[in-house]
Amino acid sequence: MRIRPAGTMLVSLHGELVPHPWRYPLVASSDAYSLFAARASAMGWLTEAAQNASGGLWGMNDAGQDPLPESSRPARVAWFQVSLTTPVPAGRPLPVQAFLSCADDVVARIGALRLEALQVLLPVQSLEAPTDTSSQGSAVMTLLQDAGWFADGDPHLRTRVRVTLDGGQDPSIRSAAPEMLRWMRELDQDVFLCDSLTVTDDDVILEPTVIDELWLGPARHRVALRGTLAEWSLDALGWLAAFLADASARHGVGTPLMFTAARSREPDSLTG
C-alpha cells in the first residue's frame, strides 16, 4: 500500500561533491536512495509503505545524484524527495530540519560536499492552521526553543545569505510579506536576522528543479530576503526553512512554497 502523501518535500543540493575514493565504483546497494531510506529508518523518521503503517514523518519517493544539464549553475549534486505521512499537527513545524539532517548524513557518506546553494519544496499546505494568532503552543515556540542548539556557535561562522520564497502561480506570499517581516523582527532569536524582505521578479538564485505538478509552478510570484544566518549548514538552513514556512502559514499562505538559499554576493559577506 502506498502512503497517501499529505505533501511533498524535495531538496536539491547544488555545489560540488567530491566522492570518497573508497566508494567507487558504486554498488547498487549504496546509492543515494538506499542510503537515505536506511538513515531515515534508523532515526525513526521513515514510515514504511505498508498496510496500516504508522510512525515516522515521511515515506520515500525518490532520490538521486543524476546531474542536470551543463547550463545549470551551480550544479545539482544530489536530491531527495519524500511525502509527509500525515498533515503536520498544530503546534509543530514542518520537519525540514530532520529532512535536511538526513540528506546531510547521506551526502557525507558519499563524499565531501561544498554547498553553494539549495532549494527546498515546502508543503506549507500540510501545516494545520493554528487555533489562534498567539505564539504560545505554536510551531514558532518549538522553533525558538530549538534555536538554543545554535546559541554557542562560533560567531565567525555567521554568514550573510539571500533567500527567496516562490509561490509559483499563487500570489499570496507577496501580500503576506510585509507582515511576515514585521512579525519576524518581533521574535527573540538570532539564528536568522533578516535585514530586508522585498517583492521581486529579478532575484533568481536557482530555477526550480521540480515538476510543476508537485507545486503551483512554474515560478512566478517571488519574495526575496537578505540577512545573517548563524552558520552556512544544512542544519541551520533546515531551521530557517521551517521558520519561514510557519511564518508564511501564519500570514495566510496555504500553498506550497519553493525555498531557495545561497550565500550572499555582498562584498562584506562573512564566510563559514
Side-chain angles (χ1 to χ4, degrees):
M1 174 183 177
R2 291 180 59 83
I3 296 169
R4 175 177 294 177
T8 298
M9 285 197 303
L10 184 146
V11 60
S12 297
L13 306 178
H14 294 251
E16 182 181 8
L17 180 61
V18 180
H20 297 312
W22 60 84
R23 274 188 45 85
Y24 286 79
L26 277 172
V27 294
S29 62
S30 60
D31 60 7
Y33 182 100
S34 60
L35 285 170
F36 190 93
R39 186 57 174 164
S41 178
M43 300 302 292
W45 297 327
L46 182 66
T47 304
E48 300 296 337
Q51 183 72 33
N52 299 321
S54 62
L57 299 174
W58 60 68
M60 285 296 300
N61 281 357
D62 209 351
Q65 292 178 251
D66 49 309
L68 289 171
E70 288 298 317
S71 59
S72 174
R73 289 290 180 269
R76 185 177 72 175
V77 297
W79 57 275
F80 306 91
Q81 180 182 323
V82 301
S83 288
L84 297 183
T85 309
T86 61
V88 179
R92 296 297 306 172
L94 280 177
V96 195
Q97 201 167 5
F99 180 48
L100 295 194
S101 175
C102 195
D104 199 11
D105 289 346
V106 170
V107 169
R109 274 282 191 262
I110 295 171
L113 173 65
R114 182 179 180 275
L115 183 68
E116 296 183 28
L118 88 164
Q119 195 164 74
V120 186
L121 179 60
L122 301 174
V124 177
Q125 76 281 4
S126 295
L127 288 167
E128 289 191 357
T131 56
D132 57 58
T133 57
S134 70
S135 296
Q136 294 300 318
S138 68
V140 72
M141 288 303 296
T142 300
L143 288 165
L144 294 179
Q145 291 168 5
D146 295 346
W149 169 249
F150 302 100
D152 296 324
D154 184 346
H156 292 94
L157 294 181
R158 297 192 67 82
T159 306
R160 295 286 299 167
V161 296
R162 57 194 182 109
V163 173
T164 60
L165 293 172
D166 197 313
Q169 299 301 295
D170 187 283
S172 56
I173 186 61
R174 288 188 165 180
S175 57
E179 281 301 304
M180 283 174 59
L181 179 59
R182 180 195 62 77
W183 176 79
M184 288 189 293
R185 285 177 169 172
E186 290 177 351
L187 299 176
D188 184 17
Q189 60 82 26
D190 62 359
V191 182
F192 176 66
L193 301 179
C194 185
D195 300 331
S196 65
L197 194 160
T198 57
V199 174
T200 177
D201 292 314
D202 301 325
D203 199 341
V204 179
I205 300 172
L206 292 168
E207 293 295 344
T209 59
V210 59
I211 60 174
D212 293 342
E213 289 74 13
L214 289 180
W215 63 311
L216 297 180
R220 182 177 179 183
H221 296 288
R222 182 184 304 115
V223 299
L225 303 88
R226 293 179 184 270
T228 303
L229 189 63
E231 59 188 40
W232 180 248
S233 69
L234 288 177
D235 196 11
L237 288 164
W239 186 95
L240 176 57
F243 177 66
L244 293 178
D246 182 70
S248 301
R250 181 176 293 274
H251 291 87
V253 178
T255 55
L257 290 175
M258 193 69 70
F259 167 95
T260 309
R263 293 177 189 260
S264 176
R265 296 194 186 105
E266 295 169 15
D268 60 346
S269 296
L270 299 173
T271 56

